[in-house]
Amino acid sequence: MLFSKSGSGVSIELDHVHHQYGGAIAVESVSLGIQAGELVALLGPSGCGKTTLLRVVAGLTRQTGGSVVIGGEKVDALPTNERGAGIVFQNYALFPHMTVAANVAYGLRARRINAAAARDTAAQMLDLVQMGRFGSRFPRELSGGQQQRVALARTLAVKPKVLLLDEPFGALDKNLRLDMQIEIKRIQRELGITTVLVTHDQEEAMSMADRIAVMNAGRVEQFDTPEAIYDRPCSLFVANFVGTANLVAGRLLQDGSGYAVDARDGGRLSLGSAAPCSQVGAVVLATRPEHLAMGTPGEDALSAKVEMVLPLGPSLVYELRLASGDAVKVTQPRTVGSTRYVAGEVVGLRLRPGSPTSVFAA
Ligand SMILES: Nc1ncnc2c1ncn2[C@@H]1O[C@H](COP(=O)(O)OP(=O)(O)O)[C@@H](O)[C@H]1O
Ligand SMILES: [Mg+2]
């Protein structure tokens, strides 16, 4: 084993990191604490500042404000190689005229490590990414996924303290992406290397990260575990960007010991106990499709009309419309004996017991 788990993990602190290109703000006062050995995803739509933030951590872009601390050391004045940062981009650039093994050994040779030691390390790294048999091939003789693994091996060969990945699976097709995601997560765990993964793909962030920083227009809107971000999004943006959210406009009111949302002309949804992030008044309610149940219409339910039923293997997806015109999706496990509804039927929607809900001031 080349790396020891305890030796390789270092923390990363971002303290009010700010970056402007001319007058345009790309990253706005981002503060994040990433723990040693953690895999954190920077998730957000194109243009929200993910790559800029990663380049600032890497030392490829000098931020206009704030500071970066890696392993307890302020690194703002240090170039990339002195920060111990290893980077893999979407467009892996292997040297085409060098063999796979020579590509992986390249960084070591550049650091004046002797040829035999560099060859050994390169071979170990290729084993680690399960490319041990391909050392004598040329990049053009490999698939995209294989090339990406070689790029990862090359980055890991110089023993970076932090691994920075910018949309590393972007060029791969879906099945290959999943393989690579599992592969990178396995290697990351094995080495205990602190990793920042940039992605615009919420499923990728959800499945790989210990914690996710959801970014919007240069800012981090929420930084938490995948479960917390899915169940308790702190803003409408996060609710919408991560997973599928049903948005229902209405008024929040007190209902016995709990709360309910009165939808415009469309009945009401009882929320049970206290609703987070909310004040009595005009609101938007966000619910997940699996947290709503369909049943008979009634005073205590949202009234909705079934428009479409989509059987998706283990579950059924219902597309419904509320009286207000808002569209709502409901997913139901396709178990034996569960009631099937058909297009045109009017049903009552109620929250499944214990479901989290989010209510935002409108
Ligand atoms: N080199 C640059 N010069 C000027 N503007 C840039 C440069 N790189 C990125 N930007 C702008 O900064 C913003 C954030 O970009 P970027 O960090 O690449 O976002 P993301 O990686 O989330 O797509 C965008 O508005 C982008 O157009
Ligand atoms: Mg980017």
Side-chain angles (χ1 to χ4, degrees):
M1 200 51 195
L2 265 174
F3 295 76
S4 67
K5 225 178 162 142
S6 52
S8 44
V10 295
S11 63
I12 304 172
E13 314 280 339
L14 305 182
D15 182 16
H16 294 91
V17 170
H18 192 88
H19 191 71
Q20 282 180 228
Y21 295 103
I25 297 173
V27 170
E28 193 174 352
S29 193
V30 168
S31 294
L32 284 180
I34 300 172
Q35 289 165 19
E38 200 176 17
L39 194 163
V40 165
L42 303 178
L43 171 69
S46 177
C48 73
K50 305 180 296 294
T51 292
T52 302
L53 191 55
L54 199 76
R55 291 178 58 90
V56 166
V57 175
L60 295 170
T61 295
R62 179 68 196 260
Q63 72 272 22
T64 50
S67 60
V68 178
V69 175
I70 297 179
E73 188 191 354
K74 214 168 177 172
V75 295
D76 299 319
L78 299 181
T80 303
N81 58 342
E82 289 175 36
R83 292 183 184 202
I87 312 156
V88 179
F89 293 106
Q90 173 174 341
N91 301 314
Y92 38 85
L94 298 175
F95 300 116
H97 58 285
M98 287 185 193
T99 64
V100 161
N103 263 282
V104 176
Y106 178 82
L108 297 165
R109 296 295 289 145
R111 282 162 202 232
R112 299 172 194 281
I113 289 174
N114 78 57
R119 208 164 42 233
D120 284 353
T121 303
Q124 279 173 301
M125 289 300 124
L126 285 172
D127 282 343
L128 185 69
V129 300
Q130 301 182 357
M131 288 292 291
R133 294 182 298 115
F134 297 86
S136 58
R137 295 231 192 143
F138 285 89
R140 65 172 179 276
E141 299 170 317
L142 303 179
S143 72
Q146 291 171 328
Q147 290 184 41
Q148 193 63 324
R149 286 195 212 182
V150 174
L152 179 65
R154 186 174 64 179
T155 298
L156 292 173
V158 296
K159 300 185 191 179
K161 287 191 274 183
V162 300
L163 180 61
L164 307 175
L165 307 169
D166 193 351
E167 314 255 9
F169 318 115
L172 307 179
D173 66 37
K174 206 173 152 99
N175 287 336
L176 218 49
R177 282 174 78 101
L178 189 59
D179 289 348
M180 281 295 289
Q181 287 166 4
I182 294 168
E183 193 69 10
I184 288 203
K185 182 131 183 169
R186 178 183 68 77
I187 293 167
Q188 191 265 338
R189 285 281 180 275
E190 206 167 307
L191 303 180
I193 188 170
T194 313
T195 301
V196 183
L197 165 73
V198 160
T199 180
H200 65 271
D201 178 340
Q202 50 108 3
E203 281 181 24
E204 185 166 293
M206 295 281 287
S207 64
M208 290 189 69
D210 297 308
R211 286 192 293 168
I212 301 174
V214 183
M215 293 184 69
N216 179 25
R219 305 187 67 99
V220 171
E221 291 219 355
Q222 189 166 4
F223 182 40
D224 215 328
T225 61
E227 292 82 2
I229 283 181
Y230 186 82
D231 288 343
R232 293 183 297 282
C234 73
S235 68
L236 265 180
F237 174 83
V238 174
N240 254 327
F241 196 78
V242 179
T244 302
N246 291 311
L247 304 181
V248 177
R251 297 193 68 76
L252 183 70
L253 43 88
Q254 218 126 24
D255 180 20
S257 62
Y259 289 85
V261 169
D262 243 351
R264 291 189 239 112
D265 348 299
R268 70 164 51 177
L269 195 69
S270 176
L271 304 183
S273 58
C277 321
S278 55
Q279 292 168 311
V280 168
V283 295
V284 175
L285 168 76
T287 60
R288 302 297 182 189
E290 67 274 23
H291 293 150
L292 289 170
M294 291 183 291
T296 50
E299 288 283 284
D300 63 331
L302 284 177
S303 167
K305 190 171 186 174
V306 177
E307 293 198 328
M308 247 198 289
V309 190
L310 313 166
L312 285 185
S315 58
L316 287 173
V317 179
Y318 288 92
E319 295 249 355
L320 304 107
R321 199 160 296 275
L322 304 181
S324 62
D326 288 335
V328 168
K329 279 194 178 65
V330 176
T331 50
Q332 222 183 32
R334 211 155 58 88
T335 47
V336 182
S338 58
T339 315
R340 282 284 291 261
Y341 298 90
V342 295
E345 261 184 279
V346 174
V347 299
L349 298 179
R350 294 174 185 81
L351 216 52
R352 291 180 186 274
S355 298
T357 49
S358 307
V359 181
F360 304 102

